């Protein structure tokens, strides 16, 4: 992570926010990957603020969602300031052991807290940005304490050697599992693409709210599909990851860096074929999966994507009816 300490000009402020954004994209993804790689309801910790027994996996997903909101917040402010929000990400890592992932999660929290809290703003330069950065930094302080408590609990249980779910080598031959991985990649891309357009159109609530809803749907599908992969004996993949001899996976590009569409019409035009392609993949996967709970879940995702396609087609037609709309 790059560092910027002194914030005097608008360019400095945008730079700080973009460095933070690349971190926030990475951890929003990394934490949920870590969560989806561990069992549900197995590791419980005493939450230091909520003062209740909490499932480490569920809370890690919640923290990932907080990071997504940080990303959105940063992207919107960068755009309002006339900057271009970055969709690059810091490195995403998955260790074979659950405890090593938690250790890394705490480390990244402390690192970003330091970035936010060590930024020195010239007095009166960007008071609201300074305030926002401080506010976000205390979410990170809270997250760091949560990861520390989770690590303590895992150690206390003597589960330091507990491993993440693994993908078995024979799954490479299984058409249904491979197709589900492809769907996951597309769901992840669409989730972020919709967020890009939410940020791009954030000056007006109509389009940004509609697109945000679709983004959240794709996030939910991604979440449910991760659970389906576990049931199928596999685990969520990290895109473009390389695995070393110790089984540590690292990726510098867990999601695309660039997305098409720079204005209302071009953004809306590009979403339709992507939604269609996702629908086609769900339709194919449903024929490969036996009747039952998994198939029903996939049918729900398919149905919602068909609804997205309906909405997107009308958003585009309606935008084309109005001359000069940006
Ligand atoms: Fe964050
Ligand atoms: Fe955080
Ligand atoms: Fe969709």
């Amino acid at each position: 992570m790059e560092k910027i300490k002194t914030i005097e000009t608008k360019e400095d402020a945008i730079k700080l926010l973009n460095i933070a954004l690349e971190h926030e994209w990475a951890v929003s993804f990394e934490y949920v990957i870590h969560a989806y790689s561990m069992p549900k309801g197995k590791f419980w910790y005493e939450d230091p603020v909520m003062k209740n027994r909490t499932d480490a996996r569920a809370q890690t997903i919640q923290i990932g969602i907080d990071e997504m909101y940080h990303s959105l917040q940063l992207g919107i402010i960068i755009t309002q300031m006339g900057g271009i929000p970055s969709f690059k990400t810091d490195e995403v890592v998955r260790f074979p052991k659950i405890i090593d992932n938690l250790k890394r999660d705490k480390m990244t929290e402390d690192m970003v807290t330091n970035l936010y809290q060590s930024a020195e703003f010239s007095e009166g330069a960007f008071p609201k940005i300074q305030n926002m950065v401080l506010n976000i930094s205390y979410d990170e302080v809270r997250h760091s304490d949560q990861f520390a408590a989770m690590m303590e609990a895992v150690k206390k249980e003597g589960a330091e050697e507990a491993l993440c779910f693994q993908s078995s080598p024979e799954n490479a031959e299984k058409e249904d599992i491979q197709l589900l991985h492809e769907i996951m990649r597309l769901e992840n891309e669409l989730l972020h693409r919709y967020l890009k357009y939410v940020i791009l159109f954030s000056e007006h609530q109509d389009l940004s709210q509609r697109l945000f809803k679709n983004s959240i749907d794709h996030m939910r599908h991604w979440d449910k599909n991760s659970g389906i992969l576990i049931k199928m004996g596999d685990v969520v993949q990290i895109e473009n990851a390389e695995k070393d001899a110790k089984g540590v996976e690292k990726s510098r590009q867990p999601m695309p860096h660039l997305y098409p569409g720079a204005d209302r019409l071009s953004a809306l035009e590009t979403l339709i074929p992507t939604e269609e392609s996702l629908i086609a993949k769900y339709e194919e996967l449903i024929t490969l999966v036996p009747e039952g709970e998994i198939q029903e879940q996939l049918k729900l995702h398919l149905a919602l994507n068909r609804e997205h396609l309906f909405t997107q087609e009308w958003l585009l037609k309606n935008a084309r009816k109005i001359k000069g709309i940006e």
Side-chain angles (χ1 to χ4, degrees):
M1 178 194 284
E2 247 189 292
K3 276 231 119 161
I4 180 160
K5 241 187 131 73
T6 321
I7 313 297
E8 282 168 357
T9 64
K10 193 167 94 170
E11 286 65 40
D12 295 338
I14 291 173
K15 185 158 186 216
L16 170 72
L17 300 182
N18 257 328
I19 292 172
L21 180 56
E22 292 183 6
H23 165 87
E24 297 287 356
W25 286 132
V27 290
S28 69
F29 190 73
E30 192 168 51
Y31 298 161
V32 286
I33 288 272
H34 291 169
Y36 296 144
S37 306
M38 65 196 276
K40 214 181 224 175
K42 184 152 196 285
F43 297 105
W44 296 81
Y45 75 103
E46 180 70 21
D47 190 278
V49 168
M50 297 189 287
K51 310 273 184 223
N52 63 355
R53 219 172 143 258
T54 309
D55 180 6
R57 179 188 181 276
Q59 196 58 38
T60 302
I61 295 173
Q62 187 52 54
I63 297 174
I65 294 171
D66 288 354
E67 311 301 5
M68 191 66 84
Y69 281 113
H70 290 164
S71 307
L72 193 58
Q73 212 177 334
L74 292 166
I76 288 173
I77 299 294
I78 292 168
T79 307
Q80 278 179 7
M81 292 180 83
I84 297 171
S86 172
F87 277 80
K88 288 193 193 134
T89 76
D90 289 351
E91 190 172 57
V92 167
V93 179
R94 175 165 58 188
F95 290 97
K97 282 186 203 164
I98 289 170
I99 191 121
D100 290 334
N101 289 330
L102 295 173
K103 207 183 282 174
R104 174 174 167 84
D105 299 341
K106 181 179 173 351
M107 184 275 291
T108 53
E109 290 292 352
D110 295 342
M111 199 167 68
V112 75
T113 302
N114 182 270
L115 173 80
Y116 288 132
Q117 294 190 351
S118 68
E120 287 163 15
F121 287 79
S122 348
E123 218 182 301
F126 301 98
K128 285 183 189 164
I129 302 239
Q130 189 178 3
N131 197 181
M132 174 180 82
V133 162
L134 278 174
N135 289 341
I136 295 179
S137 85
Y138 282 91
D139 293 336
E140 315 300 15
V141 169
R142 161 107 176 96
H143 296 160
S144 176
D145 293 346
Q146 287 176 299
F147 286 126
M150 290 179 203
M151 274 160 62
E152 269 313 297
V154 170
K155 279 185 201 159
K156 231 185 192 162
E157 265 186 50
E160 278 139 299
E161 297 302 315
L163 295 175
C164 291
F165 291 117
Q166 298 271 347
S167 169
S168 60
E170 67 261 25
N171 288 352
E173 309 296 321
K174 292 185 181 151
E175 211 186 331
D176 52 350
I177 291 181
Q178 293 316 312
L179 190 51
L180 187 50
H181 282 308
E182 258 178 65
I183 286 176
M184 294 284 280
R185 199 203 54 71
L186 209 49
E187 291 280 15
N188 185 41
E189 179 183 334
L190 272 168
L191 139 65
H192 287 99
R193 266 175 74 171
Y194 275 109
L195 283 182
K196 174 190 156 160
Y197 308 133
V198 171
I199 292 169
L200 192 66
F201 304 124
S202 56
E203 39 59 50
H204 199 285
Q205 62 79 33
D206 168 48
L207 207 48
S208 70
Q209 293 291 336
R210 289 171 182 282
L211 300 176
F212 188 56
K213 176 186 169 286
N214 289 4
S215 176
I216 297 286
D217 285 345
H218 287 292
M219 193 194 294
R220 284 214 305 261
H221 296 167
W222 199 74
D223 172 279
K224 293 283 177 204
N225 288 343
S226 299
I228 293 177
L229 274 170
I230 304 289
K231 284 183 192 154
M232 288 174 147
D234 208 279
V235 69
V236 58
Q237 279 176 345
I238 307 176
E239 280 166 51
N240 303 309
E242 299 214 359
K243 206 181 211 175
D244 70 14
K246 289 182 177 156
V248 184
E249 295 164 89
K250 291 183 182 173
S251 173
R252 285 304 311 245
Q253 207 178 336
M255 61 182 217
H257 286 174
L258 293 169
Y259 299 100
D263 56 23
R264 188 179 289 247
L265 281 181
S266 59
L268 292 175
E269 273 159 8
T270 157
L271 281 163
I272 290 171
T274 318
E275 288 282 8
E276 282 170 342
S277 132
L278 184 59
I279 288 170
K281 286 186 198 302
Y282 271 113
E283 283 169 345
E284 191 188 342
L285 181 58
I286 284 165
T287 66
L288 299 174
V289 171
E291 274 178 34
E293 204 191 334
I294 292 179
Q295 200 194 62
E296 288 311 308
Q297 187 73 56
L298 294 170
K299 280 182 179 167
L300 275 177
H301 298 179
L302 170 62
L304 218 53
N305 278 313
R306 284 176 174 154
E307 192 180 50
H308 289 174
L309 184 59
F310 173 88
T311 307
Q312 292 308 126
E313 281 173 345
W314 279 105
L315 291 183
L316 179 61
K317 281 180 201 160
N318 292 340
R320 278 179 177 154
K321 281 179 196 161
I322 297 161
K323 261 211 168 113
I325 195 167
E326 280 183 9

